[in-house]
Amino acid sequence: MIALPVLAVQSGHSGIVHPRTRPELSDIALFGFAAVGVWLVRRALRKRFAKSKPAAKD
């Protein structure tokens, strides 16, 4: 319990808050990967359900 304040001081954060002026590169990359993932899943589902249409009965 005595070492906890010492670990908190050495955590690597300076304590200075910087305002966000633009998205970080990691935010843009995450958005890009999510968009590609959604596109791939939608394409796979379209292919899957296009093949499994029942035959029309006359």
Side-chain angles (χ1 to χ4, degrees):
M1 290 301 273
I2 296 173
L4 287 179
V6 173
L7 291 175
V9 171
Q10 297 176 356
S11 67
H13 190 276
S14 64
I16 300 170
V17 178
H18 299 285
R20 293 186 66 173
T21 56
R22 59 181 171 84
E24 294 291 330
L25 184 59
S26 61
D27 297 334
I28 296 168
L30 182 61
F31 179 80
F33 277 112
V36 169
V38 168
W39 179 75
L40 287 173
V41 169
R42 287 176 53 102
R43 185 179 71 157
L45 286 173
R46 271 191 247 112
K47 275 186 178 181
R48 178 181 178 183
F49 290 113
K51 290 180 182 178
S52 64
K53 287 185 180 177
K57 293 182 182 180
D58 290 324

